[in-house]
Amino acid sequence: MKIASPKKVTVRRQVKLLTEVQLKQLEPDVRRMLAEDSTSKEMPTLSQRRQQVLRLVARGIPNQQIATELYISVNTVKTHMRWLLRTHKADDRSQLALIYVLKYQPAQERDEWRKEVTFAWPGSSQPAQRRVLWIMLSREYWDVTNDEIGTMLGNTRLTVKTNISYLMDRIVGWPRSRPSLRVAALLHLPK
């Protein structure tokens, strides 16, 4: 007789509609986060292989392709990913991508990536896309889902998904993924 495993219960936090003042504060918060000294917080020392995996995750590359590029198995990549997620208390690849850019990426590599990938920030005539992007980049909201972004902006999930798809179409030179969207947007913050 099989015993059914208990269902995993996910507790969702309450997300509120962001006010205009809160939305306007997101941009300076993101800029301040980028300006922070990366040595100000103790970051775990990474092995060379884990640095390589994290670097490729930040570029939006999937596990299978990481395994092929590094000549390791997909299971080994998954093991490194579990370790990186647990050690950095990250919920997903997208958060790891931001952690890499903010805490580990050498300045020279950041300059090379700026040349390699282009991202056209939405103009002021596209406020919905700009708001979605600032929320995705803000450290306070790194772990929000599309549903939660929709709640914060008073939109539906479909509207948010459409805006994210529109933003991903603006990435040139890298794969269309949430991690590469966040990294490309950080690398090309408007002045």
Coordinates of all heavy atoms in Angstrom, one line a residue, residues 44-128:
P44 N 29.9 34.3 0.1 CA 30.6 33.0 0.1 C 31.7 33.0 -1.0 O 31.4 33.5 -2.1 CB 29.6 32.0 -0.1 CG 28.3 32.7 -0.4 CD 28.5 34.2 -0.2
T45 N 32.8 32.3 -0.7 CA 33.8 32.1 -1.7 C 33.3 31.0 -2.6 O 32.9 29.9 -2.1 CB 35.1 31.7 -1.1 OG1 35.5 32.7 -0.1 CG2 36.2 31.6 -2.1
L46 N 33.4 31.2 -3.9 CA 32.9 30.2 -4.9 C 34.1 29.5 -5.5 O 35.1 30.1 -5.8 CB 32.1 30.9 -6.0 CG 30.8 31.6 -5.6 CD1 30.2 32.2 -6.8 CD2 29.9 30.7 -4.9
S47 N 33.9 28.2 -5.8 CA 34.9 27.5 -6.5 C 34.9 28.0 -8.0 O 33.9 28.7 -8.4 CB 34.6 26.0 -6.5 OG 33.5 25.8 -7.3
Q48 N 35.9 27.7 -8.7 CA 36.0 28.2 -10.1 C 34.8 27.6 -10.9 O 34.2 28.4 -11.7 CB 37.3 27.8 -10.7 CG 37.5 28.3 -12.1 CD 38.8 27.9 -12.8 OE1 39.6 27.2 -12.1 NE2 39.0 28.3 -14.0
R49 N 34.5 26.4 -10.7 CA 33.4 25.8 -11.4 C 32.0 26.4 -11.1 O 31.2 26.7 -11.9 CB 33.3 24.3 -11.1 CG 32.2 23.5 -11.8 CD 32.4 23.6 -13.4 NE 33.4 22.7 -13.8 CZ 33.9 22.6 -15.0 NH1 33.5 23.5 -15.9 NH2 34.8 21.7 -15.3
R50 N 31.8 26.7 -9.8 CA 30.5 27.4 -9.4 C 30.5 28.8 -10.0 O 29.4 29.3 -10.3 CB 30.4 27.4 -7.9 CG 30.0 25.9 -7.4 CD 29.6 25.9 -6.0 NE 29.2 24.5 -5.7 CZ 29.5 23.9 -4.6 NH1 30.3 24.5 -3.6 NH2 29.1 22.6 -4.4
Q51 N 31.6 29.5 -10.0 CA 31.6 30.8 -10.6 C 31.2 30.7 -12.1 O 30.5 31.5 -12.6 CB 33.0 31.4 -10.5 CG 33.3 32.0 -9.2 CD 34.8 32.5 -9.1 OE1 35.5 32.6 -10.1 NE2 35.2 32.9 -7.9
Q52 N 31.8 29.7 -12.8 CA 31.4 29.5 -14.2 C 29.9 29.2 -14.4 O 29.3 29.8 -15.3 CB 32.2 28.3 -14.8 CG 33.7 28.6 -14.9 CD 34.5 27.3 -15.2 OE1 34.1 26.2 -14.9 NE2 35.6 27.5 -15.9
V53 N 29.4 28.4 -13.5 CA 27.9 28.1 -13.6 C 27.1 29.3 -13.4 O 26.2 29.6 -14.1 CB 27.6 26.9 -12.6 CG1 26.1 26.8 -12.5 CG2 28.2 25.6 -13.0
L54 N 27.5 30.0 -12.3 CA 26.8 31.3 -12.0 C 26.8 32.3 -13.1 O 25.9 33.0 -13.4 CB 27.3 31.8 -10.7 CG 26.5 33.0 -10.0 CD1 25.1 32.7 -9.8 CD2 27.2 33.4 -8.7
R55 N 28.0 32.4 -13.7 CA 28.2 33.4 -14.8 C 27.3 33.0 -16.0 O 26.6 33.9 -16.6 CB 29.6 33.4 -15.2 CG 30.0 34.3 -16.3 CD 31.5 34.2 -16.7 NE 31.8 35.2 -17.7 CZ 31.7 34.9 -19.0 NH1 31.2 33.8 -19.4 NH2 32.0 35.9 -19.9
L56 N 27.2 31.7 -16.3 CA 26.3 31.3 -17.4 C 24.8 31.5 -17.1 O 24.0 31.8 -17.9 CB 26.7 29.9 -17.8 CG 28.1 29.7 -18.4 CD1 28.4 28.2 -18.6 CD2 28.2 30.5 -19.7
V57 N 24.5 31.2 -15.8 CA 23.1 31.4 -15.4 C 22.7 32.9 -15.6 O 21.7 33.3 -16.0 CB 22.9 31.0 -13.9 CG1 21.6 31.5 -13.3 CG2 23.0 29.5 -13.8
A58 N 23.7 33.8 -15.2 CA 23.4 35.2 -15.3 C 23.2 35.7 -16.8 O 22.5 36.7 -17.1 CB 24.6 36.0 -14.7
R59 N 23.7 34.9 -17.7 CA 23.5 35.2 -19.1 C 22.2 34.6 -19.7 O 22.0 34.7 -20.8 CB 24.7 34.7 -19.9 CG 26.0 35.5 -19.6 CD 27.1 35.0 -20.4 NE 26.8 35.1 -21.8 CZ 27.7 35.2 -22.8 NH1 28.9 35.3 -22.5 NH2 27.3 35.3 -24.0
G60 N 21.5 33.9 -18.8 CA 20.2 33.3 -19.2 C 20.3 32.0 -19.9 O 19.4 31.5 -20.6
I61 N 21.4 31.3 -19.7 CA 21.7 30.0 -20.4 C 21.1 28.8 -19.5 O 21.3 28.8 -18.3 CB 23.2 29.8 -20.6 CG1 23.7 30.9 -21.6 CG2 23.5 28.4 -21.2 CD1 25.1 30.9 -21.8
P62 N 20.3 27.9 -20.2 CA 19.7 26.8 -19.5 C 20.7 25.7 -19.0 O 21.8 25.7 -19.6 CB 18.7 26.3 -20.5 CG 19.1 26.7 -21.8 CD 19.9 28.0 -21.6
N63 N 20.3 24.9 -18.1 CA 21.2 23.8 -17.5 C 21.8 23.0 -18.6 O 23.0 22.7 -18.5 CB 20.4 23.0 -16.6 CG 20.1 23.7 -15.3 OD1 20.6 24.8 -15.0 ND2 19.3 23.1 -14.4
Q64 N 21.0 22.5 -19.6 CA 21.6 21.6 -20.6 C 22.7 22.3 -21.4 O 23.7 21.6 -21.6 CB 20.4 21.2 -21.6 CG 20.9 20.2 -22.7 CD 21.4 18.9 -22.1 OE1 20.6 18.3 -21.3 NE2 22.6 18.5 -22.5
Q65 N 22.5 23.5 -21.7 CA 23.6 24.2 -22.5 C 24.8 24.5 -21.6 O 25.9 24.5 -22.0 CB 23.0 25.5 -23.0 CG 23.8 26.1 -24.1 CD 23.1 27.3 -24.8 OE1 21.9 27.4 -24.7 NE2 23.9 28.2 -25.4
I66 N 24.5 24.8 -20.3 CA 25.7 25.0 -19.3 C 26.5 23.7 -19.3 O 27.7 23.7 -19.3 CB 25.1 25.4 -17.9 CG1 24.5 26.8 -18.0 CG2 26.3 25.3 -16.9 CD1 23.8 27.2 -16.7
A67 N 25.8 22.6 -19.1 CA 26.5 21.3 -19.1 C 27.3 21.0 -20.3 O 28.5 20.6 -20.2 CB 25.5 20.2 -18.9
T68 N 26.8 21.3 -21.5 CA 27.5 21.1 -22.7 C 28.7 22.0 -22.8 O 29.8 21.6 -23.1 CB 26.6 21.4 -23.9 OG1 25.4 20.5 -23.8 CG2 27.3 21.2 -25.2
E69 N 28.5 23.3 -22.4 CA 29.6 24.3 -22.5 C 30.8 24.0 -21.5 O 31.9 24.2 -21.8 CB 29.1 25.7 -22.3 CG 30.0 26.8 -22.7 CD 29.4 28.1 -22.8 OE1 28.2 28.2 -23.3 OE2 30.0 29.1 -22.3
L70 N 30.4 23.5 -20.3 CA 31.4 23.2 -19.3 C 31.9 21.7 -19.3 O 32.7 21.4 -18.5 CB 30.9 23.6 -17.9 CG 30.5 25.0 -17.7 CD1 30.0 25.3 -16.3 CD2 31.7 25.9 -18.0
Y71 N 31.4 20.9 -20.2 CA 31.7 19.5 -20.3 C 31.5 18.8 -19.0 O 32.3 18.0 -18.5 CB 33.2 19.3 -20.7 CG 33.5 20.0 -22.0 CD1 34.2 21.2 -22.1 CD2 33.1 19.4 -23.2 CE1 34.5 21.8 -23.3 CE2 33.3 20.0 -24.5 CZ 34.0 21.2 -24.5 OH 34.3 21.8 -25.7
I72 N 30.3 19.0 -18.4 CA 29.9 18.3 -17.2 C 28.4 17.8 -17.4 O 27.8 18.2 -18.4 CB 29.9 19.2 -15.9 CG1 29.1 20.5 -16.1 CG2 31.4 19.6 -15.6 CD1 29.0 21.4 -14.9
S73 N 28.0 16.9 -16.5 CA 26.6 16.4 -16.7 C 25.6 17.4 -16.2 O 25.9 18.3 -15.4 CB 26.4 15.1 -15.9 OG 26.4 15.4 -14.5
V74 N 24.4 17.3 -16.7 CA 23.2 18.1 -16.3 C 23.0 18.0 -14.8 O 22.7 19.0 -14.1 CB 22.0 17.8 -17.1 CG1 20.8 18.6 -16.6 CG2 22.2 18.1 -18.6
N75 N 23.2 16.7 -14.3 CA 23.0 16.5 -12.8 C 24.1 17.3 -12.0 O 23.7 17.8 -10.9 CB 23.1 15.0 -12.5 CG 21.8 14.3 -12.9 OD1 20.7 14.9 -13.0 ND2 21.9 13.0 -13.1
T76 N 25.3 17.4 -12.5 CA 26.3 18.2 -11.8 C 25.9 19.7 -11.8 O 26.1 20.4 -10.8 CB 27.7 18.0 -12.5 OG1 28.0 16.6 -12.5 CG2 28.7 18.8 -11.8
V77 N 25.4 20.2 -13.0 CA 24.9 21.6 -13.0 C 23.8 21.8 -12.0 O 23.8 22.8 -11.3 CB 24.4 21.9 -14.4 CG1 23.8 23.3 -14.5 CG2 25.5 21.8 -15.5
K78 N 22.9 20.8 -11.9 CA 21.8 20.9 -11.0 C 22.3 20.9 -9.5 O 21.8 21.7 -8.7 CB 20.8 19.8 -11.2 CG 19.9 19.9 -12.4 CD 19.0 18.8 -12.6 CE 18.2 18.9 -13.9 NZ 17.3 17.8 -14.1
T79 N 23.3 20.1 -9.3 CA 23.9 20.1 -7.9 C 24.5 21.5 -7.6 O 24.3 22.0 -6.5 CB 25.0 19.0 -7.8 OG1 24.4 17.8 -8.1 CG2 25.6 19.0 -6.5
H80 N 25.2 22.1 -8.5 CA 25.8 23.4 -8.3 C 24.7 24.4 -8.1 O 24.8 25.3 -7.3 CB 26.7 23.8 -9.5 CG 28.0 23.1 -9.6 ND1 28.9 23.0 -8.5 CD2 28.6 22.4 -10.6 CE1 29.9 22.3 -8.9 NE2 29.8 21.9 -10.1
M81 N 23.6 24.3 -8.9 CA 22.5 25.2 -8.8 C 21.9 25.2 -7.4 O 21.6 26.2 -6.8 CB 21.5 25.0 -9.9 CG 21.9 25.4 -11.3 SD 22.2 27.2 -11.4 CE 20.5 27.8 -11.0
R82 N 21.6 24.0 -7.0 CA 21.0 23.8 -5.6 C 21.9 24.5 -4.6 O 21.4 25.2 -3.7 CB 20.8 22.3 -5.3 CG 19.6 21.8 -5.9 CD 19.2 20.4 -5.3 NE 20.3 19.4 -5.6 CZ 20.4 18.6 -6.6 NH1 19.5 18.7 -7.6 NH2 21.4 17.8 -6.8
W83 N 23.2 24.2 -4.7 CA 24.2 24.8 -3.7 C 24.1 26.3 -3.8 O 24.1 27.0 -2.8 CB 25.6 24.3 -4.0 CG 26.6 24.8 -2.9 CD1 26.9 24.1 -1.8 CD2 27.3 26.0 -2.9 NE1 27.8 24.8 -1.1 CE2 28.1 26.0 -1.7 CE3 27.4 27.0 -3.8 CZ2 28.9 27.0 -1.4 CZ3 28.3 28.1 -3.5 CH2 29.0 28.1 -2.3
L84 N 24.2 26.9 -5.0 CA 24.1 28.3 -5.2 C 22.8 29.0 -4.7 O 22.9 30.0 -4.0 CB 24.3 28.7 -6.7 CG 25.7 28.4 -7.3 CD1 25.7 28.5 -8.8 CD2 26.7 29.4 -6.7
L85 N 21.7 28.3 -5.0 CA 20.4 28.8 -4.5 C 20.4 28.8 -3.0 O 19.9 29.8 -2.3 CB 19.3 28.0 -5.1 CG 19.0 28.2 -6.6 CD1 18.1 27.1 -7.1 CD2 18.4 29.6 -6.8
R86 N 20.8 27.7 -2.4 CA 20.7 27.6 -0.9 C 21.7 28.5 -0.2 O 21.3 29.3 0.7 CB 21.0 26.1 -0.5 CG 20.9 25.9 1.0 CD 21.2 24.4 1.3 NE 22.5 24.0 0.9 CZ 22.8 23.1 0.0 NH1 21.8 22.5 -0.7 NH2 24.0 22.8 -0.3
T87 N 22.9 28.6 -0.7 CA 23.9 29.5 -0.1 C 23.6 30.9 -0.2 O 23.8 31.7 0.7 CB 25.3 29.2 -0.8 OG1 25.6 27.8 -0.7 CG2 26.4 30.0 -0.1
H88 N 23.0 31.4 -1.3 CA 22.7 32.8 -1.5 C 21.3 33.1 -1.1 O 20.8 34.2 -1.3 CB 22.9 33.2 -3.0 CG 24.4 33.2 -3.3 ND1 25.0 32.1 -3.8 CD2 25.3 34.1 -3.2 CE1 26.3 32.4 -4.0 NE2 26.5 33.6 -3.6
K89 N 20.5 32.1 -0.6 CA 19.1 32.3 -0.2 C 18.3 32.9 -1.3 O 17.5 33.8 -1.1 CB 19.1 33.1 1.1 CG 19.7 32.5 2.3 CD 19.6 33.4 3.5 CE 20.2 32.7 4.7 NZ 21.6 32.8 4.9
A90 N 18.5 32.4 -2.5 CA 17.8 32.8 -3.7 C 16.7 31.9 -4.0 O 16.8 30.7 -3.7 CB 18.8 32.9 -4.9
D91 N 15.6 32.4 -4.6 CA 14.5 31.6 -4.9 C 14.5 31.0 -6.3 O 13.9 30.0 -6.6 CB 13.2 32.4 -4.8 CG 12.9 32.8 -3.3 OD1 13.2 32.0 -2.4 OD2 12.3 33.8 -3.1
D92 N 15.3 31.7 -7.2 CA 15.3 31.2 -8.6 C 16.5 31.7 -9.3 O 17.4 32.4 -8.7 CB 14.0 31.6 -9.3 CG 13.8 33.1 -9.4 OD1 14.8 33.9 -9.2 OD2 12.7 33.6 -9.6
R93 N 16.7 31.3 -10.5 CA 17.8 31.6 -11.4 C 17.9 33.1 -11.6 O 19.0 33.7 -11.7 CB 17.7 31.0 -12.7 CG 17.6 29.5 -12.7 CD 17.2 29.0 -14.1 NE 18.3 28.9 -15.0 CZ 19.2 28.0 -15.0 NH1 19.1 26.9 -14.3 NH2 20.2 28.0 -15.9
S94 N 16.8 33.8 -11.7 CA 16.8 35.2 -11.9 C 17.4 36.0 -10.8 O 18.2 36.9 -11.0 CB 15.3 35.6 -12.1 OG 15.2 36.9 -12.6
Q95 N 17.2 35.5 -9.6 CA 17.8 36.2 -8.4 C 19.3 35.9 -8.4 O 20.1 36.8 -8.1 CB 17.2 35.7 -7.1 CG 15.8 36.2 -6.9 CD 15.1 35.7 -5.7 OE1 15.8 35.4 -4.7 NE2 13.8 35.6 -5.6
L96 N 19.7 34.7 -8.8 CA 21.1 34.4 -8.9 C 21.8 35.3 -9.9 O 23.0 35.7 -9.7 CB 21.3 32.9 -9.2 CG 21.2 31.9 -8.1 CD1 21.3 30.5 -8.6 CD2 22.1 32.2 -6.9
A97 N 21.1 35.5 -11.0 CA 21.7 36.4 -12.0 C 22.0 37.8 -11.5 O 23.1 38.3 -11.7 CB 20.8 36.5 -13.2
L98 N 21.1 38.3 -10.7 CA 21.3 39.6 -10.2 C 22.4 39.6 -9.1 O 23.2 40.5 -9.0 CB 20.0 40.2 -9.5 CG 18.9 40.5 -10.5 CD1 17.6 40.9 -9.8 CD2 19.3 41.6 -11.5
I99 N 22.4 38.6 -8.3 CA 23.5 38.4 -7.3 C 24.9 38.4 -8.0 O 25.8 39.0 -7.5 CB 23.3 37.2 -6.4 CG1 22.1 37.4 -5.5 CG2 24.5 36.8 -5.6 CD1 21.6 36.2 -4.8
Y100 N 25.0 37.7 -9.1 CA 26.2 37.6 -9.8 C 26.7 39.0 -10.3 O 27.8 39.4 -10.0 CB 26.2 36.6 -11.0 CG 27.5 36.6 -11.8 CD1 28.6 36.0 -11.3 CD2 27.6 37.3 -13.0 CE1 29.8 36.0 -12.0 CE2 28.8 37.3 -13.7 CZ 29.9 36.6 -13.2 OH 31.1 36.7 -13.9
V101 N 25.8 39.7 -10.9 CA 26.2 41.0 -11.4 C 26.5 42.0 -10.3 O 27.5 42.7 -10.4 CB 25.0 41.6 -12.3 CG1 25.3 43.0 -12.7 CG2 24.9 40.8 -13.6
L102 N 25.8 41.9 -9.2 CA 26.0 42.9 -8.1 C 27.1 42.6 -7.2 O 27.7 43.5 -6.7 CB 24.7 43.0 -7.3 CG 23.5 43.6 -8.0 CD1 22.2 43.4 -7.2 CD2 23.7 45.0 -8.4
K103 N 27.4 41.3 -7.1 CA 28.4 40.9 -6.0 C 29.7 40.2 -6.6 O 30.7 40.3 -5.9 CB 27.7 40.0 -5.0 CG 26.6 40.6 -4.3 CD 27.0 41.8 -3.5 CE 25.8 42.5 -2.9 NZ 26.2 43.8 -2.3
Y104 N 29.6 39.6 -7.7 CA 30.8 38.8 -8.1 C 31.4 39.3 -9.4 O 32.5 39.0 -9.7 CB 30.3 37.3 -8.3 CG 30.0 36.6 -7.0 CD1 28.7 36.3 -6.7 CD2 31.0 36.2 -6.2 CE1 28.4 35.6 -5.5 CE2 30.8 35.5 -5.0 CZ 29.5 35.2 -4.7 OH 29.2 34.6 -3.5
Q105 N 30.6 39.9 -10.3 CA 31.1 40.2 -11.6 C 32.2 41.2 -11.6 O 32.0 42.3 -11.1 CB 29.9 40.7 -12.5 CG 30.3 40.8 -14.0 CD 29.2 41.2 -14.8 OE1 28.4 42.1 -14.4 NE2 29.1 40.6 -16.0
P106 N 33.3 40.9 -12.2 CA 34.4 41.9 -12.4 C 34.0 43.1 -13.3 O 33.2 42.8 -14.2 CB 35.6 41.1 -13.0 CG 35.2 39.7 -12.9 CD 33.7 39.6 -12.8
A107 N 34.4 44.3 -13.0 CA 34.1 45.4 -13.8 C 34.4 45.3 -15.3 O 33.6 45.7 -16.1 CB 34.7 46.7 -13.2
Q108 N 35.5 44.7 -15.6 CA 35.9 44.5 -17.0 C 34.9 43.6 -17.7 O 34.5 43.9 -18.8 CB 37.3 43.9 -17.0 CG 37.8 43.7 -18.4 CD 39.2 43.0 -18.5 OE1 39.8 42.8 -17.4 NE2 39.7 42.7 -19.7
E109 N 34.5 42.5 -17.0 CA 33.5 41.7 -17.7 C 32.2 42.4 -17.9 O 31.5 42.2 -18.9 CB 33.3 40.4 -16.8 CG 32.3 39.4 -17.4 CD 32.0 38.2 -16.6 OE1 31.3 38.4 -15.5 OE2 32.5 37.2 -16.9
R110 N 31.8 43.2 -16.9 CA 30.5 44.0 -17.0 C 30.6 44.9 -18.3 O 29.6 45.0 -19.0 CB 30.3 44.8 -15.8 CG 28.9 45.4 -15.7 CD 28.7 46.1 -14.4 NE 28.7 45.2 -13.3 CZ 28.7 45.5 -12.1 NH1 28.6 46.7 -11.7 NH2 28.7 44.6 -11.1
D111 N 31.8 45.5 -18.5 CA 31.9 46.3 -19.7 C 31.8 45.5 -21.0 O 31.2 45.9 -22.0 CB 33.3 47.1 -19.7 CG 33.3 48.1 -18.6 OD1 32.2 48.6 -18.1 OD2 34.4 48.5 -18.1
E112 N 32.4 44.3 -20.9 CA 32.3 43.4 -22.1 C 30.9 43.0 -22.4 O 30.4 42.9 -23.5 CB 33.2 42.1 -21.9 CG 34.7 42.4 -21.9 CD 35.5 41.2 -21.4 OE1 34.9 40.1 -21.2 OE2 36.7 41.4 -21.2
W113 N 30.1 42.7 -21.3 CA 28.7 42.3 -21.4 C 27.9 43.4 -22.0 O 27.0 43.2 -22.8 CB 28.2 41.8 -20.1 CG 28.6 40.4 -19.7 CD1 29.6 39.7 -20.2 CD2 28.0 39.6 -18.8 NE1 29.7 38.5 -19.6 CE2 28.7 38.4 -18.7 CE3 26.9 39.7 -17.9 CZ2 28.4 37.3 -17.8 CZ3 26.6 38.7 -17.0 CH2 27.3 37.5 -17.0
R114 N 28.2 44.6 -21.6 CA 27.5 45.8 -22.1 C 27.6 45.9 -23.6 O 26.7 46.2 -24.3 CB 27.9 47.1 -21.5 CG 27.3 47.4 -20.2 CD 27.6 48.8 -19.7 NE 27.2 49.0 -18.3 CZ 28.0 49.0 -17.3 NH1 29.3 48.9 -17.5 NH2 27.6 49.1 -16.1
K115 N 28.8 45.5 -24.1 CA 29.0 45.6 -25.6 C 28.3 44.4 -26.3 O 27.9 44.5 -27.4 CB 30.5 45.6 -25.9 CG 31.2 46.8 -25.4 CD 32.7 46.7 -25.6 CE 33.4 47.9 -25.0 NZ 34.8 47.6 -24.8
E116 N 28.3 43.2 -25.6 CA 27.8 42.0 -26.1 C 26.3 42.0 -26.3 O 25.7 41.4 -27.2 CB 28.3 40.8 -25.3 CG 28.0 39.5 -25.8 CD 28.5 38.4 -24.8 OE1 29.7 38.6 -24.4 OE2 27.8 37.5 -24.5
V117 N 25.6 42.5 -25.3 CA 24.1 42.4 -25.2 C 23.6 43.9 -25.3 O 24.2 44.7 -24.6 CB 23.6 41.7 -24.0 CG1 23.9 42.4 -22.7 CG2 22.1 41.5 -24.1
T118 N 22.6 44.0 -26.0 CA 21.9 45.4 -26.0 C 20.5 45.2 -25.5 O 19.9 44.2 -25.7 CB 21.9 46.0 -27.4 OG1 21.2 45.1 -28.3 CG2 23.3 46.2 -28.0
F119 N 20.1 46.2 -24.9 CA 18.7 46.3 -24.3 C 18.2 47.7 -24.5 O 18.8 48.6 -24.0 CB 18.7 45.8 -22.8 CG 17.4 45.9 -22.2 CD1 16.4 44.9 -22.5 CD2 17.0 46.9 -21.4 CE1 15.2 44.9 -22.0 CE2 15.7 47.0 -20.8 CZ 14.8 46.0 -21.1
A120 N 17.1 47.8 -25.1 CA 16.5 49.1 -25.3 C 15.4 49.3 -24.2 O 14.4 48.7 -24.2 CB 15.8 49.2 -26.7
W121 N 15.8 50.2 -23.3 CA 14.8 50.5 -22.2 C 13.6 51.1 -22.8 O 13.6 51.9 -23.7 CB 15.4 51.5 -21.2 CG 16.0 50.8 -20.0 CD1 17.3 50.2 -20.0 CD2 15.5 50.6 -18.7 NE1 17.5 49.6 -18.8 CE2 16.4 49.9 -18.0 CE3 14.3 51.1 -18.1 CZ2 16.2 49.6 -16.7 CZ3 14.1 50.7 -16.8 CH2 15.0 50.0 -16.1
P122 N 12.4 50.7 -22.3 CA 11.2 51.3 -22.8 C 11.2 52.9 -22.5 O 11.6 53.3 -21.5 CB 10.0 50.6 -22.0 CG 10.7 49.9 -20.9 CD 12.2 49.8 -21.2
G123 N 10.7 53.6 -23.4 CA 10.6 55.1 -23.3 C 9.5 55.5 -22.3 O 8.7 54.7 -21.8
S124 N 9.5 56.8 -22.1 CA 8.5 57.3 -21.1 C 7.1 57.2 -21.6 O 6.2 57.3 -20.9 CB 8.8 58.8 -20.8 OG 8.9 59.5 -22.1
S125 N 7.0 56.9 -22.9 CA 5.6 56.7 -23.5 C 5.1 55.2 -23.2 O 4.0 54.9 -23.5 CB 5.6 56.9 -25.0 OG 6.5 56.0 -25.6
Q126 N 6.0 54.4 -22.5 CA 5.6 53.0 -22.2 C 5.7 52.8 -20.7 O 6.5 52.1 -20.2 CB 6.5 52.0 -22.9 CG 6.3 52.1 -24.4 CD 7.6 51.9 -25.1 OE1 8.7 52.4 -24.6 NE2 7.6 51.3 -26.3
P127 N 4.9 53.6 -19.9 CA 5.1 53.5 -18.4 C 4.8 52.1 -17.8 O 5.4 51.7 -16.8 CB 4.0 54.5 -17.9 CG 3.0 54.6 -19.0 CD 3.8 54.4 -20.3
A128 N 3.9 51.3 -18.4 CA 3.6 50.0 -17.8 C 4.8 49.1 -17.9 O 5.2 48.5 -16.9 CB 2.5 49.4 -18.6

